[in-house]
Coordinates of all heavy atoms in Angstrom, one line a residue:
M1 N -153.3 -103.7 -178.5 CA -152.8 -104.3 -177.1 C -153.1 -105.9 -177.2 O -154.2 -106.2 -177.0 CB -153.5 -103.5 -176.1 CG -152.9 -103.8 -174.7 SD -153.2 -102.4 -173.6 CE -155.0 -102.6 -173.2
H2 N -152.1 -106.5 -177.3 CA -152.4 -108.0 -177.4 C -152.6 -108.7 -175.9 O -153.1 -109.8 -176.0 CB -151.2 -108.8 -178.1 CG -149.9 -109.0 -177.3 ND1 -149.1 -110.1 -177.5 CD2 -149.4 -108.2 -176.4 CE1 -148.1 -109.9 -176.7 NE2 -148.4 -108.8 -176.0
E3 N -152.4 -107.9 -174.9 CA -152.7 -108.4 -173.6 C -154.2 -108.7 -173.5 O -154.6 -109.7 -172.8 CB -152.3 -107.4 -172.5 CG -150.8 -107.5 -172.1 CD -150.0 -106.7 -173.1 OE1 -150.5 -106.0 -174.0 OE2 -148.7 -106.6 -172.9
L4 N -155.0 -107.8 -174.2 CA -156.4 -108.0 -174.2 C -156.8 -109.2 -174.8 O -157.6 -110.1 -174.3 CB -157.0 -106.8 -174.9 CG -158.6 -106.7 -174.8 CD1 -159.1 -106.5 -173.3 CD2 -159.1 -105.5 -175.6
A5 N -156.2 -109.6 -175.9 CA -156.5 -110.9 -176.7 C -156.2 -112.1 -175.8 O -156.8 -113.0 -175.7 CB -155.9 -110.9 -178.0
L6 N -154.9 -111.9 -175.2 CA -154.5 -113.1 -174.2 C -155.5 -113.3 -173.1 O -155.8 -114.4 -172.8 CB -153.1 -112.6 -173.7 CG -151.9 -112.8 -174.5 CD1 -150.7 -112.2 -173.8 CD2 -151.6 -114.3 -174.8
C7 N -155.9 -112.2 -172.6 CA -157.0 -112.3 -171.5 C -158.2 -112.9 -171.9 O -158.8 -113.8 -171.2 CB -157.3 -111.0 -170.8 SG -156.0 -110.6 -169.6
Q8 N -158.8 -112.5 -173.1 CA -159.9 -113.1 -173.6 C -159.7 -114.5 -173.8 O -160.6 -115.4 -173.5 CB -160.4 -112.4 -175.0 CG -160.9 -111.1 -174.7 CD -161.0 -110.2 -175.8 OE1 -160.3 -110.4 -176.8 NE2 -161.9 -109.2 -175.8
G9 N -158.6 -114.9 -174.4 CA -158.3 -116.4 -174.5 C -158.3 -117.1 -173.2 O -158.8 -118.2 -173.0
L10 N -157.7 -116.5 -172.2 CA -157.6 -117.0 -170.9 C -159.0 -117.3 -170.3 O -159.3 -118.3 -169.7 CB -156.8 -116.2 -170.0 CG -156.7 -116.6 -168.4 CD1 -155.9 -117.8 -168.3 CD2 -155.9 -115.5 -167.7
I11 N -159.7 -116.2 -170.3 CA -161.2 -116.4 -169.8 C -162.0 -117.4 -170.5 O -162.7 -118.2 -169.9 CB -161.9 -114.9 -169.9 CG1 -161.2 -113.8 -169.1 CG2 -163.4 -115.0 -169.3 CD1 -161.2 -114.1 -167.6
E12 N -161.8 -117.5 -171.8 CA -162.6 -118.6 -172.6 C -162.1 -119.9 -172.1 O -163.0 -120.8 -172.0 CB -162.1 -118.4 -174.1 CG -163.1 -117.3 -174.8 CD -162.6 -117.1 -176.2 OE1 -161.9 -117.9 -176.8 OE2 -162.8 -115.9 -176.6
L13 N -160.8 -120.0 -171.8 CA -160.4 -121.3 -171.3 C -160.9 -121.6 -169.9 O -161.3 -122.8 -169.7 CB -158.7 -121.2 -171.2 CG -158.1 -122.4 -170.6 CD1 -158.0 -123.6 -171.7 CD2 -156.6 -122.1 -170.2
L14 N -160.9 -120.6 -169.1 CA -161.5 -120.8 -167.8 C -163.0 -121.2 -167.8 O -163.5 -122.1 -167.2 CB -161.4 -119.6 -166.9 CG -160.0 -119.2 -166.5 CD1 -160.0 -117.7 -165.8 CD2 -159.3 -120.2 -165.8
V15 N -163.7 -120.5 -168.8 CA -165.2 -120.8 -168.9 C -165.4 -122.2 -169.4 O -166.2 -123.0 -168.9 CB -165.8 -119.8 -169.9 CG1 -167.2 -120.2 -170.2 CG2 -165.9 -118.5 -169.3
E16 N -164.5 -122.6 -170.4 CA -164.6 -124.0 -171.0 C -164.1 -125.0 -169.8 O -165.0 -126.0 -169.7 CB -163.5 -124.0 -172.0 CG -163.3 -125.5 -172.6 CD -164.4 -125.9 -173.4 OE1 -165.2 -125.1 -173.9 OE2 -164.5 -127.2 -173.6
Q17 N -163.2 -124.8 -169.0 CA -162.9 -125.7 -168.0 C -164.0 -125.8 -166.9 O -164.3 -126.8 -166.4 CB -161.6 -125.1 -167.2 CG -160.4 -125.1 -168.0 CD -159.8 -126.7 -168.2 OE1 -159.6 -127.3 -167.2 NE2 -159.7 -127.1 -169.3
G18 N -164.6 -124.6 -166.6 CA -165.8 -124.6 -165.7 C -166.9 -125.6 -166.2 O -167.5 -126.3 -165.5
R19 N -167.2 -125.4 -167.6 CA -168.2 -126.3 -168.1 C -167.8 -127.8 -168.0 O -168.6 -128.8 -167.6 CB -168.4 -126.0 -169.6 CG -169.9 -126.3 -170.1 CD -170.1 -125.5 -171.4 NE -168.9 -125.4 -172.3 CZ -168.7 -124.2 -172.9 NH1 -169.5 -123.2 -172.8 NH2 -167.6 -124.3 -173.8
V20 N -166.5 -128.1 -168.3 CA -166.0 -129.5 -168.3 C -166.0 -130.1 -166.9 O -166.4 -131.2 -166.6 CB -164.6 -129.6 -169.0 CG1 -164.1 -131.0 -168.8 CG2 -164.7 -129.3 -170.4
H21 N -165.5 -129.3 -166.0 CA -165.2 -129.8 -164.6 C -166.4 -129.3 -163.6 O -166.3 -129.7 -162.5 CB -163.9 -129.3 -164.1 CG -162.7 -129.8 -164.9 ND1 -162.4 -131.2 -165.0 CD2 -161.9 -129.2 -165.7 CE1 -161.4 -131.3 -165.8 NE2 -161.1 -130.1 -166.3
G22 N -167.3 -128.6 -164.0 CA -168.4 -128.3 -163.2 C -168.1 -127.3 -162.1 O -168.8 -127.4 -161.1
F23 N -167.2 -126.4 -162.2 CA -167.2 -125.3 -161.2 C -167.9 -123.9 -161.8 O -168.0 -123.8 -163.0 CB -165.7 -125.1 -160.8 CG -164.8 -124.8 -161.9 CD1 -164.6 -123.4 -162.3 CD2 -163.9 -125.8 -162.4 CE1 -163.7 -123.1 -163.3 CE2 -163.0 -125.5 -163.4 CZ -162.9 -124.1 -163.8
T24 N -168.3 -123.2 -160.9 CA -169.0 -122.0 -161.3 C -168.3 -120.7 -160.8 O -168.7 -119.6 -161.1 CB -170.4 -121.9 -160.6 OG1 -170.3 -122.1 -159.3 CG2 -171.3 -123.1 -161.3
E25 N -167.2 -120.9 -160.1 CA -166.4 -119.7 -159.7 C -164.9 -119.9 -159.6 O -164.5 -120.9 -159.2 CB -166.9 -119.3 -158.2 CG -166.5 -118.0 -157.7 CD -166.9 -117.7 -156.3 OE1 -167.8 -118.4 -155.8 OE2 -166.2 -116.8 -155.7
V26 N -164.3 -119.0 -160.1 CA -162.8 -119.1 -160.1 C -162.4 -118.0 -159.1 O -162.6 -116.8 -159.2 CB -162.1 -118.7 -161.5 CG1 -160.6 -118.7 -161.4 CG2 -162.6 -119.7 -162.5
R27 N -161.7 -118.4 -158.1 CA -161.4 -117.6 -157.0 C -159.9 -117.0 -157.2 O -159.8 -115.9 -156.8 CB -161.5 -118.3 -155.7 CG -162.8 -119.0 -155.5 CD -163.0 -119.5 -154.2 NE -163.2 -118.5 -153.3 CZ -163.3 -118.5 -151.9 NH1 -163.3 -119.8 -151.3 NH2 -163.5 -117.6 -151.1
S28 N -159.1 -117.7 -157.7 CA -157.8 -117.1 -157.9 C -157.0 -117.8 -159.2 O -157.4 -119.0 -159.5 CB -156.8 -117.3 -156.7 OG -156.5 -118.7 -156.5
V29 N -156.3 -117.1 -159.8 CA -155.6 -117.6 -160.9 C -154.0 -117.3 -160.8 O -153.7 -116.1 -160.5 CB -156.1 -117.0 -162.3 CG1 -155.3 -117.5 -163.5 CG2 -157.6 -117.4 -162.4
T30 N -153.1 -118.3 -161.1 CA -151.8 -117.9 -161.1 C -151.2 -118.1 -162.5 O -151.5 -119.2 -163.1 CB -151.0 -118.8 -160.0 OG1 -151.5 -118.7 -158.7 CG2 -149.5 -118.4 -160.0
L31 N -150.7 -117.1 -163.0 CA -150.1 -117.1 -164.3 C -148.6 -117.0 -164.3 O -148.1 -116.3 -163.4 CB -150.6 -116.0 -165.2 CG -152.0 -115.8 -165.6 CD1 -152.3 -114.7 -166.4 CD2 -152.4 -117.2 -166.3
A32 N -147.8 -117.7 -165.1 CA -146.4 -117.5 -165.2 C -146.2 -116.8 -166.6 O -146.6 -117.3 -167.6 CB -145.7 -118.8 -165.2
I33 N -145.6 -115.6 -166.5 CA -145.3 -114.8 -167.8 C -143.8 -114.8 -167.8 O -143.1 -114.2 -167.1 CB -145.9 -113.4 -167.7 CG1 -147.4 -113.5 -167.5 CG2 -145.6 -112.6 -168.9 CD1 -148.1 -112.1 -167.4
G34 N -143.3 -115.4 -168.8 CA -141.8 -115.5 -169.0 C -141.3 -114.0 -169.0 O -141.8 -113.2 -169.8
A35 N -140.1 -113.9 -168.4 CA -139.5 -112.6 -168.3 C -139.0 -112.1 -169.6 O -138.7 -110.9 -169.9 CB -138.2 -112.7 -167.4
L36 N -138.9 -113.0 -170.6 CA -138.3 -112.6 -172.0 C -139.4 -112.4 -173.0 O -139.2 -112.2 -174.2 CB -137.3 -113.7 -172.5 CG -136.1 -113.9 -171.5 CD1 -135.1 -114.8 -172.2 CD2 -135.5 -112.6 -171.1
G37 N -140.7 -112.6 -172.5 CA -141.8 -112.4 -173.5 C -142.2 -111.0 -173.7 O -141.5 -110.1 -173.1
H38 N -143.2 -110.7 -174.4 CA -143.6 -109.4 -174.8 C -144.9 -109.1 -174.1 O -145.6 -108.2 -174.6 CB -143.7 -109.2 -176.4 CG -142.4 -109.4 -177.0 ND1 -141.4 -108.4 -176.9 CD2 -142.0 -110.3 -177.7 CE1 -140.4 -108.8 -177.7 NE2 -140.6 -110.0 -178.2
V39 N -145.2 -109.8 -173.0 CA -146.5 -109.5 -172.3 C -146.1 -108.6 -171.1 O -145.2 -108.9 -170.4 CB -147.1 -110.8 -171.7 CG1 -148.3 -110.5 -171.0 CG2 -147.4 -111.7 -172.9
D40 N -146.8 -107.5 -171.0 CA -146.7 -106.7 -169.9 C -147.6 -107.0 -168.8 O -148.9 -107.0 -168.9 CB -147.1 -105.2 -170.4 CG -147.0 -104.2 -169.2 OD1 -146.9 -104.6 -168.1 OD2 -147.1 -103.0 -169.6
P41 N -147.1 -107.5 -167.7 CA -147.9 -108.1 -166.6 C -148.9 -107.1 -166.0 O -150.0 -107.4 -165.7 CB -146.9 -108.4 -165.4 CG -145.5 -108.5 -166.1 CD -145.6 -107.5 -167.2
E42 N -148.6 -105.8 -165.9 CA -149.5 -104.8 -165.4 C -150.7 -104.6 -166.4 O -151.8 -104.5 -166.0 CB -148.8 -103.5 -165.3 CG -148.0 -103.4 -163.9 CD -147.3 -102.1 -163.8 OE1 -147.9 -101.0 -164.1 OE2 -146.3 -102.1 -163.1
A43 N -150.4 -104.6 -167.7 CA -151.5 -104.4 -168.7 C -152.3 -105.7 -168.6 O -153.5 -105.6 -168.7 CB -150.8 -104.2 -170.1
L44 N -151.6 -106.8 -168.5 CA -152.5 -108.1 -168.4 C -153.4 -108.0 -167.2 O -154.5 -108.5 -167.4 CB -151.5 -109.3 -168.4 CG -152.2 -110.5 -168.6 CD1 -152.3 -110.9 -170.0 CD2 -151.6 -111.7 -167.8
A45 N -152.9 -107.7 -166.1 CA -153.7 -107.6 -164.8 C -154.9 -106.7 -165.0 O -156.0 -107.0 -164.7 CB -152.9 -107.2 -163.7
F46 N -154.7 -105.6 -165.7 CA -155.8 -104.6 -165.9 C -156.8 -105.2 -166.9 O -157.9 -105.3 -166.6 CB -155.1 -103.4 -166.5 CG -156.2 -102.4 -166.9 CD1 -156.8 -101.6 -166.1 CD2 -156.6 -102.2 -168.3 CE1 -157.8 -100.7 -166.4 CE2 -157.6 -101.3 -168.7 CZ -158.2 -100.6 -167.7
C47 N -156.3 -105.9 -168.0 CA -157.2 -106.5 -168.8 C -158.1 -107.6 -168.2 O -159.2 -107.9 -168.5 CB -156.5 -107.1 -170.1 SG -155.8 -105.9 -171.1
F48 N -157.4 -108.4 -167.4 CA -158.0 -109.5 -166.7 C -159.2 -108.9 -166.0 O -160.3 -109.6 -166.0 CB -157.1 -110.2 -165.8 CG -157.6 -111.4 -165.1 CD1 -157.6 -112.6 -165.8 CD2 -158.2 -111.3 -163.8 CE1 -158.2 -113.8 -165.2 CE2 -158.8 -112.5 -163.2 CZ -158.8 -113.7 -163.9
D49 N -159.1 -107.9 -165.2 CA -160.2 -107.3 -164.4 C -161.3 -106.9 -165.4 O -162.5 -107.2 -165.0 CB -159.8 -106.1 -163.7 CG -159.0 -106.5 -162.4 OD1 -159.0 -107.7 -162.1 OD2 -158.3 -105.5 -161.9
V50 N -161.0 -106.3 -166.5 CA -162.1 -105.9 -167.4 C -162.7 -107.0 -168.1 O -164.0 -107.1 -168.1 CB -161.4 -104.9 -168.5 CG1 -162.4 -104.7 -169.6 CG2 -160.8 -103.7 -167.9
V51 N -161.9 -108.0 -168.6 CA -162.5 -109.1 -169.4 C -163.2 -110.1 -168.4 O -164.3 -110.8 -169.0 CB -161.4 -109.9 -170.2 CG1 -161.9 -111.0 -170.9 CG2 -160.7 -108.8 -171.1
S52 N -162.9 -110.3 -167.2 CA -163.5 -111.3 -166.4 C -164.8 -110.8 -165.9 O -165.6 -111.7 -165.3 CB -162.6 -111.6 -165.2 OG -162.4 -110.5 -164.3
E53 N -165.1 -109.6 -166.0 CA -166.3 -109.0 -165.5 C -167.5 -109.7 -166.1 O -167.6 -109.8 -167.3 CB -166.6 -107.5 -165.8 CG -167.1 -106.7 -164.7 CD -167.2 -105.2 -165.1 OE1 -166.1 -104.6 -165.0 OE2 -168.2 -104.7 -165.5
G54 N -168.4 -110.1 -165.3 CA -169.6 -110.8 -165.7 C -169.4 -112.4 -166.1 O -170.2 -113.1 -166.5
T55 N -168.1 -112.8 -165.8 CA -167.9 -114.3 -166.1 C -167.6 -114.9 -164.8 O -167.6 -114.3 -163.7 CB -166.6 -114.5 -166.9 OG1 -165.5 -114.2 -166.1 CG2 -166.6 -113.5 -168.2
L56 N -167.4 -116.3 -164.8 CA -167.1 -116.9 -163.5 C -165.9 -116.6 -162.9 O -165.6 -117.0 -161.7 CB -167.2 -118.5 -163.8 CG -166.0 -119.3 -164.4 CD1 -166.4 -120.7 -164.6 CD2 -165.5 -118.7 -165.7
A57 N -165.0 -115.9 -163.5 CA -163.7 -115.4 -163.0 C -163.8 -114.0 -162.4 O -162.8 -113.5 -162.0 CB -162.6 -115.5 -164.1
E58 N -165.0 -113.4 -162.5 CA -165.1 -112.0 -162.0 C -164.6 -112.0 -160.5 O -165.0 -112.8 -159.6 CB -166.5 -111.5 -162.0 CG -166.6 -110.1 -161.6 CD -168.0 -109.5 -161.8 OE1 -168.9 -110.1 -162.5 OE2 -168.2 -108.4 -161.4
G59 N -163.7 -111.0 -160.2 CA -163.3 -110.9 -158.8 C -162.2 -111.9 -158.4 O -161.7 -111.9 -157.2
A60 N -161.7 -112.7 -159.3 CA -160.7 -113.6 -159.0 C -159.4 -112.9 -158.7 O -159.1 -111.9 -159.2 CB -160.5 -114.6 -160.2
V61 N -158.6 -113.4 -157.8 CA -157.3 -112.8 -157.4 C -156.3 -113.3 -158.5 O -156.1 -114.6 -158.6 CB -156.9 -113.3 -156.0 CG1 -155.5 -112.7 -155.7 CG2 -157.8 -112.8 -155.0
L62 N -155.7 -112.4 -159.1 CA -154.7 -112.7 -160.1 C -153.2 -112.6 -159.6 O -152.8 -111.6 -159.1 CB -154.9 -111.9 -161.5 CG -154.0 -112.1 -162.6 CD1 -154.3 -113.5 -163.2 CD2 -154.1 -111.1 -163.6
T63 N -152.6 -113.7 -159.7 CA -151.2 -113.7 -159.3 C -150.3 -114.0 -160.5 O -150.5 -114.9 -161.3 CB -150.9 -114.8 -158.3 OG1 -151.8 -114.7 -157.2 CG2 -149.3 -114.7 -157.7
I64 N -149.3 -113.1 -160.7 CA -148.5 -113.3 -161.9 C -147.0 -113.5 -161.4 O -146.4 -112.8 -160.7 CB -148.5 -112.0 -162.8 CG1 -149.9 -111.8 -163.2 CG2 -147.4 -112.1 -163.8 CD1 -150.0 -110.6 -164.1
E65 N -146.5 -114.7 -161.8 CA -145.2 -115.1 -161.6 C -144.3 -114.7 -162.9 O -144.7 -114.7 -163.9 CB -145.0 -116.6 -161.3 CG -145.7 -117.0 -160.0 CD -145.7 -118.5 -159.9 OE1 -145.2 -119.2 -160.9 OE2 -146.1 -119.0 -158.9
R66 N -143.0 -114.3 -162.6 CA -142.1 -114.0 -163.6 C -140.9 -114.8 -163.6 O -139.8 -114.5 -163.2 CB -141.7 -112.5 -163.4 CG -142.7 -111.5 -163.4 CD -143.3 -111.2 -164.9 NE -142.4 -110.3 -165.6 CZ -142.4 -110.0 -166.8 NH1 -143.2 -110.8 -167.7 NH2 -141.7 -109.1 -167.4
P67 N -141.0 -116.0 -164.2 CA -139.9 -116.9 -164.2 C -138.7 -116.4 -165.1 O -139.1 -115.7 -166.2 CB -140.4 -118.2 -164.7 CG -141.7 -117.9 -165.4 CD -142.2 -116.6 -164.8
D68 N -137.6 -116.5 -164.8 CA -136.4 -116.1 -165.7 C -136.5 -116.9 -167.0 O -137.0 -117.9 -167.2 CB -135.1 -116.4 -165.0 CG -134.7 -115.4 -164.0 OD1 -135.4 -114.4 -163.9 OD2 -133.9 -115.7 -163.2
G69 N -136.0 -116.2 -168.0 CA -135.9 -116.8 -169.3 C -134.6 -117.6 -169.4 O -133.7 -117.5 -168.7
T70 N -134.5 -118.4 -170.5 CA -133.2 -119.1 -170.8 C -132.8 -118.8 -172.3 O -133.6 -118.5 -173.2 CB -133.3 -120.6 -170.7 OG1 -134.5 -121.0 -171.5 CG2 -133.6 -121.0 -169.3
A71 N -131.5 -118.7 -172.4 CA -131.0 -118.5 -173.8 C -129.6 -119.2 -174.0 O -129.0 -119.6 -173.1 CB -130.7 -116.9 -173.9
H72 N -129.4 -119.3 -175.3 CA -128.0 -119.9 -175.7 C -127.2 -118.8 -176.2 O -127.7 -118.1 -177.1 CB -128.4 -121.0 -176.7 CG -127.1 -121.7 -177.2 ND1 -126.6 -122.7 -176.3 CD2 -126.3 -121.5 -178.2 CE1 -125.4 -123.1 -176.9 NE2 -125.3 -122.4 -178.1
C73 N -126.0 -118.7 -175.6 CA -125.0 -117.7 -176.1 C -124.2 -118.3 -177.2 O -123.6 -119.2 -177.2 CB -124.1 -117.4 -174.8 SG -122.8 -116.2 -175.4
V74 N -124.3 -117.3 -178.3 CA -123.5 -117.7 -179.5 C -122.1 -117.5 -179.2 O -121.2 -118.1 -179.7 CB -124.0 -116.8 -180.7 CG1 -123.3 -117.1 -182.0 CG2 -125.6 -117.1 -181.1
G75 N -121.8 -116.4 -178.4 CA -120.4 -116.0 -178.1 C -119.6 -117.1 -177.5 O -118.6 -117.4 -177.9
C76 N -120.1 -117.7 -176.4 CA -119.4 -118.7 -175.6 C -120.0 -120.2 -175.6 O -119.4 -121.0 -175.1 CB -119.1 -118.2 -174.2 SG -120.6 -118.1 -173.2
G77 N -121.2 -120.2 -176.2 CA -121.8 -121.6 -176.3 C -122.4 -122.0 -175.0 O -122.9 -123.1 -174.9
S78 N -122.5 -121.2 -174.1 CA -123.3 -121.5 -172.8 C -124.7 -121.4 -173.0 O -125.3 -120.6 -173.7 CB -122.8 -120.7 -171.7 OG -121.4 -120.7 -171.5
D79 N -125.4 -122.2 -172.1 CA -126.8 -122.0 -172.0 C -127.0 -121.3 -170.6 O -126.5 -121.7 -169.6 CB -127.6 -123.4 -171.9 CG -127.7 -124.0 -173.3 OD1 -128.1 -123.3 -174.2 OD2 -127.2 -125.1 -173.4
V80 N -127.6 -120.1 -170.6 CA -127.7 -119.2 -169.5 C -129.2 -118.9 -169.2 O -130.1 -119.0 -170.0 CB -126.9 -117.9 -169.8 CG1 -125.4 -118.2 -170.0 CG2 -127.4 -117.2 -171.0
T81 N -129.2 -118.3 -168.0 CA -130.5 -117.8 -167.5 C -130.6 -116.3 -167.6 O -129.6 -115.7 -167.2 CB -130.7 -118.2 -166.0 OG1 -130.6 -119.6 -165.9 CG2 -132.1 -117.9 -165.6
L82 N -131.6 -115.7 -168.0 CA -131.7 -114.3 -168.2 C -132.9 -113.7 -167.4 O -134.1 -114.3 -167.6 CB -131.7 -113.8 -169.7 CG -130.6 -114.2 -170.6 CD1 -131.0 -113.8 -172.0 CD2 -129.3 -113.4 -170.1
A83 N -132.8 -112.6 -166.8 CA -134.0 -112.0 -166.2 C -134.5 -111.0 -167.1 O -135.7 -110.4 -167.0 CB -133.6 -111.3 -164.8
S84 N -133.8 -110.5 -168.1 CA -134.3 -109.5 -169.1 C -133.7 -109.8 -170.5 O -132.6 -110.3 -170.6 CB -133.8 -108.1 -168.6 OG -133.9 -107.2 -169.7
R85 N -134.5 -109.5 -171.5 CA -134.2 -109.7 -172.8 C -132.9 -108.8 -173.2 O -132.2 -109.1 -174.1 CB -135.3 -109.3 -173.7 CG -135.1 -109.5 -175.1 CD -136.5 -109.2 -175.9 NE -137.5 -110.3 -175.7 CZ -137.5 -111.4 -176.6 NH1 -136.6 -111.3 -177.6 NH2 -138.3 -112.3 -176.4
L86 N -132.8 -107.7 -172.4 CA -131.7 -106.7 -172.8 C -130.4 -107.1 -172.1 O -129.3 -106.6 -172.3 CB -132.2 -105.3 -172.2 CG -133.4 -104.8 -172.9 CD1 -133.7 -103.5 -172.2 CD2 -133.3 -104.7 -174.4
D87 N -130.4 -108.2 -171.2 CA -129.2 -108.5 -170.5 C -128.2 -109.2 -171.4 O -128.6 -109.9 -172.3 CB -129.5 -109.6 -169.4 CG -130.1 -108.8 -168.2 OD1 -130.2 -107.6 -168.2 OD2 -130.5 -109.6 -167.2
P88 N -126.8 -108.9 -171.3 CA -125.9 -109.7 -171.9 C -125.6 -111.0 -171.4 O -126.2 -111.3 -170.3 CB -124.6 -108.8 -171.9 CG -124.8 -108.1 -170.5 CD -126.4 -107.9 -170.4
C89 N -124.9 -111.9 -172.0 CA -124.5 -113.1 -171.5 C -123.8 -112.9 -170.1 O -122.8 -112.2 -170.0 CB -123.5 -113.9 -172.5 SG -122.9 -115.4 -171.8
P90 N -124.3 -113.6 -169.1 CA -123.6 -113.5 -167.8 C -122.2 -114.1 -167.7 O -121.4 -113.8 -166.8 CB -124.7 -114.2 -166.9 CG -125.5 -115.0 -167.7 CD -125.5 -114.4 -169.0
R91 N -121.9 -115.0 -168.6 CA -120.6 -115.7 -168.6 C -119.6 -114.8 -169.4 O -118.4 -114.7 -168.9 CB -120.7 -117.0 -169.3 CG -121.7 -117.9 -168.6 CD -121.0 -119.1 -168.0 NE -121.9 -119.9 -167.2 CZ -122.4 -121.1 -167.6 NH1 -122.1 -121.6 -168.7 NH2 -123.3 -121.7 -166.8
C92 N -119.9 -114.4 -170.6 CA -118.9 -113.8 -171.4 C -119.2 -112.3 -171.8 O -118.4 -111.6 -172.4 CB -118.6 -114.5 -172.6 SG -119.8 -114.5 -174.0
G93 N -120.4 -111.8 -171.5 CA -120.8 -110.5 -171.8 C -121.3 -110.2 -173.3 O -121.6 -109.1 -173.6
S94 N -121.4 -111.3 -174.1 CA -121.8 -111.2 -175.4 C -123.3 -110.8 -175.4 O -124.1 -111.2 -174.6 CB -121.5 -112.4 -176.2 OG -122.3 -112.5 -177.4
S95 N -123.8 -110.0 -176.4 CA -125.2 -109.8 -176.6 C -125.8 -110.7 -177.8 O -126.9 -110.6 -178.0 CB -125.3 -108.4 -177.0 OG -124.7 -108.0 -178.1
Q96 N -125.0 -111.7 -178.2 CA -125.5 -112.6 -179.2 C -126.1 -113.7 -178.6 O -125.5 -114.8 -178.5 CB -124.3 -113.0 -180.2 CG -123.9 -111.9 -181.2 CD -122.9 -112.5 -182.1 OE1 -121.8 -112.8 -181.7 NE2 -123.4 -112.8 -183.3
L97 N -127.4 -113.6 -178.2 CA -128.0 -114.6 -177.4 C -129.3 -115.0 -178.1 O -130.0 -114.2 -178.7 CB -128.4 -114.1 -176.0 CG -127.3 -113.7 -175.2 CD1 -127.9 -112.9 -174.0 CD2 -126.7 -115.0 -174.5
M98 N -129.5 -116.4 -178.3 CA -130.7 -116.9 -178.9 C -131.7 -117.4 -177.7 O -131.3 -118.3 -177.0 CB -130.4 -118.1 -179.7 CG -129.7 -117.6 -181.0 SD -129.5 -119.1 -182.2 CE -128.6 -120.3 -181.1
V99 N -132.7 -116.7 -177.6 CA -133.6 -117.1 -176.5 C -134.2 -118.4 -176.8 O -134.7 -118.7 -177.9 CB -134.8 -115.9 -176.4 CG1 -135.8 -116.4 -175.4 CG2 -134.2 -114.6 -176.1
T100 N -134.2 -119.2 -175.7 CA -134.7 -120.6 -175.9 C -135.9 -120.9 -174.9 O -136.5 -121.9 -175.1 CB -133.5 -121.7 -175.5 OG1 -133.1 -121.4 -174.3 CG2 -132.6 -121.6 -176.6
G101 N -136.1 -120.1 -174.0 CA -137.2 -120.2 -173.1 C -137.6 -119.0 -172.4 O -136.9 -118.1 -172.2
G102 N -138.8 -119.0 -171.8 CA -139.3 -118.0 -170.9 C -140.0 -116.8 -171.7 O -140.0 -115.6 -171.3
Q103 N -140.6 -117.1 -172.8 CA -141.3 -116.2 -173.6 C -142.8 -116.3 -173.6 O -143.5 -115.5 -174.1 CB -140.9 -116.2 -175.1 CG -139.3 -116.1 -175.3 CD -139.0 -116.1 -176.7 OE1 -139.0 -115.1 -177.4 NE2 -138.8 -117.4 -177.2
D104 N -143.3 -117.4 -172.9 CA -144.6 -117.7 -173.0 C -145.4 -117.4 -171.8 O -144.8 -117.1 -170.8 CB -144.8 -119.3 -173.1 CG -144.0 -119.8 -174.3 OD1 -143.9 -119.1 -175.3 OD2 -143.5 -121.0 -174.2
M105 N -146.8 -117.3 -171.9 CA -147.6 -117.2 -170.8 C -148.3 -118.6 -170.5 O -148.8 -119.2 -171.3 CB -148.7 -116.2 -171.0 CG -149.6 -115.9 -169.9 SD -150.9 -114.7 -170.3 CE -152.2 -115.7 -170.8
Q106 N -148.1 -118.9 -169.2 CA -148.8 -120.3 -168.9 C -149.7 -120.1 -167.7 O -149.4 -119.3 -166.8 CB -147.7 -121.3 -168.4 CG -146.9 -121.8 -169.7 CD -145.7 -122.7 -169.1 OE1 -145.2 -122.5 -168.1 NE2 -145.4 -123.6 -170.0
L107 N -150.8 -120.9 -167.7 CA -151.6 -121.0 -166.6 C -151.2 -122.0 -165.6 O -151.0 -123.2 -165.9 CB -153.1 -121.4 -167.1 CG -154.1 -121.6 -166.0 CD1 -154.4 -120.2 -165.2 CD2 -155.4 -122.0 -166.6
R108 N -150.5 -121.5 -164.4 CA -149.9 -122.4 -163.5 C -150.9 -123.0 -162.5 O -150.8 -124.3 -162.2 CB -148.9 -121.5 -162.6 CG -147.6 -121.4 -163.3 CD -146.7 -122.4 -163.0 NE -145.5 -122.3 -163.8 CZ -144.4 -121.7 -163.5 NH1 -144.3 -121.1 -162.3 NH2 -143.4 -121.6 -164.3
E109 N -151.8 -122.3 -161.9 CA -152.7 -122.7 -160.9 C -154.0 -122.0 -160.9 O -154.0 -120.8 -161.4 CB -152.1 -122.5 -159.5 CG -151.1 -123.6 -159.0 CD -150.6 -123.2 -157.7 OE1 -151.4 -122.8 -156.8 OE2 -149.4 -123.2 -157.5
M110 N -155.0 -122.6 -160.6 CA -156.2 -121.9 -160.2 C -157.1 -122.5 -159.1 O -157.0 -123.7 -159.0 CB -157.1 -121.7 -161.5 CG -157.7 -122.9 -162.1 SD -158.7 -122.6 -163.6 CE -159.0 -124.2 -164.2
E111 N -157.7 -121.7 -158.4 CA -158.6 -122.2 -157.3 C -160.0 -121.9 -157.8 O -160.4 -120.8 -158.0 CB -158.2 -121.4 -156.1 CG -158.7 -121.9 -154.7 CD -158.5 -121.1 -153.5 OE1 -157.5 -120.1 -153.7 OE2 -159.2 -121.1 -152.6
V112 N -160.8 -123.0 -157.7 CA -162.1 -122.9 -158.0 C -163.1 -123.5 -157.1 O -162.8 -124.2 -156.1 CB -162.4 -123.7 -159.4 CG1 -161.5 -123.2 -160.5 CG2 -162.2 -125.1 -159.2
R113 N -164.4 -123.2 -157.2 CA -165.4 -123.9 -156.4 C -166.7 -124.0 -157.2 O -166.8 -123.2 -158.2 CB -165.6 -123.2 -155.1 CG -166.3 -121.9 -155.1 CD -166.6 -121.4 -153.7 NE -167.1 -120.1 -153.7 CZ -167.3 -119.5 -152.7 NH1 -167.0 -119.8 -151.5 NH2 -168.0 -118.3 -152.7
Ligands
ZN201 ZN1 -121.6 -116.0 -173.5

């Protein structure tokens, strides 16, 4: 389950940031998980609760945004926006799409004290 590894990385980042910026508590975290990535937001939220226990992020409110992905259509040459990896090109219906964005997980915001 790679969500667990992602969460561990995220918590390590928060702990590191806490050391650098001198905060001791993370109250909320906003993540953007691209709609075309392979990260399951529910699994991630579950892992976050488990991994954050005993750290400065324990009890933090996790908000997950799901930005649409972007892709280039080989069929018609358009750059399009996709809400799902399984969607065909909204312009021509082709399924020959090269994903160009929306596969990553990013830390958007956090509230600390
Ligand atoms: Zn197309």
